[in-house]
Amino acid sequence: MSAYHNILAKLNGFIQKHYTQKLIKGTLLFITLGVLFFLAVMGIEYLLWLNSTGRLILLLAFLGSALFLLYAYILTPIFYLLKIKRGISAKEAATMIGKHFPIVGDKLLNLLDLADNNEKTELLLASIEQRSQGLKPVPFTKAIDHKQALRYSKYVLIPAVLIVLVYVSGNWNSFFGSYERVVNYNLAYEPPAPFTFELLSHDLNVIESEPFIIQVATKGTVRPENVYVVLDGKEILLQEENGI
């Protein structure tokens, strides 16, 4: 029965390679979907500036999805590889191999059915050994090509392109800064002003009692109607000229 035991070992090798392929595929999908969901969470907080409850929901949703993806795409194939969970049976593997190799067809499945016969007569054992010898040259593991799993690597480009777009837009710090607000959901944050002041007058040394012109511009999506400068506790309205 050495030939039959060799067949069983080859079947086990096929099953191991089958779940190794699923682990490779799962790792690529885990990275892709995990990063996409992370970017989605950051994008929602970046645009909406949610309150503490909203940020807590975002954080829990991200953690829940990450754990689900980890279990579904990483841990499950590992459990099958370590045989913690019951995976495909030898007969299911034989069916898959038979579909890939026309020369095998149902021969491997029939061999396993024959070996399950409780009446182990000499004639039966000789038939099992003979059939095993006939299937011995077939490389079962060749029925699985890891290159098929690596094709999923193209999907990793999707989040990579989105990250590049965020960088090119110039909003890198503000976009990924929303991560801190989500993690610290119990803290209060105020959204930044829709504009900032830019001081155009660099030399602020003034001769006492002499006139002095101070120039200020604003940057942002909104322009204030009025701008004041406070001197000695008094507000002085600045005059606008050509946007300055």
Side-chain angles (χ1 to χ4, degrees):
M1 296 287 287
S2 60
Y4 177 68
H5 291 150
N6 178 262
I7 294 296
L8 293 179
K10 290 170 63 176
L11 275 172
N12 185 63
F14 170 86
I15 294 172
Q16 291 289 311
K17 190 173 181 180
H18 170 73
Y19 285 114
T20 300
Q21 183 187 51
K22 285 192 172 296
L23 179 60
I24 295 172
K25 173 184 172 182
T27 301
L28 295 172
L29 289 175
F30 173 77
I31 294 173
T32 301
L33 297 176
V35 175
L36 282 176
F37 201 87
F38 175 79
L39 292 176
V41 169
M42 295 301 99
I44 292 172
E45 172 58 21
Y46 169 74
L47 294 173
L48 301 181
W49 281 78
L50 299 173
N51 56 24
S52 294
T53 302
R55 284 182 274 133
L56 175 59
I57 293 174
L58 276 183
L59 179 61
L60 294 177
F62 173 73
L63 293 177
S65 65
L67 290 174
F68 172 77
L69 293 174
L70 179 65
Y71 175 79
Y73 292 121
I74 304 294
L75 295 181
T76 298
I78 291 177
F79 290 158
Y80 286 133
L81 282 170
L82 299 178
K83 298 182 179 180
I84 297 174
K85 291 185 67 175
R86 183 179 179 182
I88 60 174
S89 65
K91 290 186 177 181
E92 289 171 330
T95 302
M96 296 169 63
I97 294 170
K99 290 180 179 179
H100 184 82
F101 294 108
I103 192 174
V104 174
D106 294 331
K107 294 179 181 178
L108 184 56
L109 186 59
N110 293 335
L111 172 63
L112 295 177
D113 288 335
L114 195 64
D116 285 341
N117 194 322
N118 293 326
E119 298 180 4
K120 295 293 191 296
T121 63
E122 291 186 6
L123 181 62
L124 178 64
L125 294 177
S127 178
I128 293 173
E129 190 71 6
Q130 182 181 7
R131 296 189 184 195
S132 300
Q133 288 289 350
L135 292 171
K136 190 175 181 180
V138 182
F140 295 168
T141 55
K142 293 292 184 180
I144 295 178
D145 186 2
H146 285 328
K147 291 181 180 179
Q148 294 181 356
L150 292 175
R151 292 176 184 174
Y152 285 84
S153 59
K154 62 185 177 183
Y155 295 116
V156 179
L157 293 176
I158 298 175
V161 169
L162 293 177
I163 292 174
V164 170
L165 290 176
V166 172
Y167 179 79
V168 172
S169 69
N171 296 318
W172 181 271
N173 291 332
S174 55
F175 183 86
F176 287 102
S178 57
Y179 165 80
E180 182 179 352
R181 300 198 301 274
V182 173
V183 173
N184 301 309
Y185 63 87
N186 56 336
L187 298 180
Y189 291 92
E190 287 292 335
F195 62 87
T196 57
F197 289 109
E198 180 183 10
L199 184 62
L200 302 180
S201 301
H202 300 295
D203 186 5
L204 299 181
N205 293 311
V206 183
I207 299 177
E208 188 175 358
S209 300
E210 292 291 328
F212 179 75
I213 297 176
I214 182 172
Q215 291 185 318
V216 178
T218 60
K219 290 183 177 181
T221 56
V222 176
R223 174 176 291 182
E225 294 183 1
N226 297 309
V227 177
Y228 296 83
V229 61
V230 180
L231 296 174
D232 294 332
K234 297 180 180 180
E235 292 184 352
I236 300 176
L237 177 63
L238 300 184
Q239 303 300 317
E240 181 180 353
E241 182 177 339
N242 297 326
I244 298 177

